[in-house]
Amino acid sequence: MAQVEATTERIVAADAEKVFDAVADYSGTRPKLLSEHFSEYEVREGGDGEGTLVHWKLQATSKRVRDCLLEVSEPTDGELVEKDRNSSMVTTWRVTPAGEGKSRVVVTTTWDGAGGIGGFFEKTFAPKGLGRIYDVVLDKLATEVEG
């Protein structure tokens, strides 16, 4: 099994602390950022960063739906890690300053891919698909925090 990785990034015109707070706000801001690929969103514990337990279904393709139950941790300043209890999927959000009043937001998702030919196609196409999903999330994040 090979590890599959998808990374998306964006510069947002807002300071890093404000952007990070928005990303970590699972009970308020986060649901507004999700694209139509996410459903059944529910905060089960916490709701703000470290210690949050959040559930959603992610429909990456018409046939592929992941039922995600994510434990949230904040290992370092500006970093939020979502570990799925139902799979090997881990999504890391990193928010860092990128000049005066700007932030760089990098979202990286990794998981253990399938083996064989299915794994080849997963490693080839899944990162692009997930990247498109997170592009929408980052667009909505920018709209939410800029201005």
Side-chain angles (χ1 to χ4, degrees), residues 97-119:
E100 186 74 29
K102 292 184 179 169
S103 309
R104 176 182 313 272
V105 183
V106 180
V107 184
T108 304
T109 301
T110 60
W111 67 94
D112 296 333
I117 192 74

Side-chain angles (χ1 to χ4, degrees), residues 45-94:
E45 292 173 20
D48 185 21
E50 178 89 34
T52 297
L53 183 65
V54 64
H55 170 268
W56 61 64
K57 288 192 176 174
L58 173 59
Q59 183 157 0
T61 67
S62 60
K63 295 177 182 157
R64 182 85 171 123
V65 179
R66 275 186 189 257
D67 190 342
C68 303
L69 184 59
L70 302 146
E71 292 178 355
V72 179
S73 63
E74 293 182 33
T76 61
D77 277 357
E79 187 176 66
L80 200 65
V81 178
E82 302 168 343
K83 286 187 179 161
D84 187 10
R85 286 186 180 174
N86 299 332
S87 74
S88 61
M89 191 169 74
V90 177
T91 299
T92 303
W93 295 76
R94 285 187 186 86

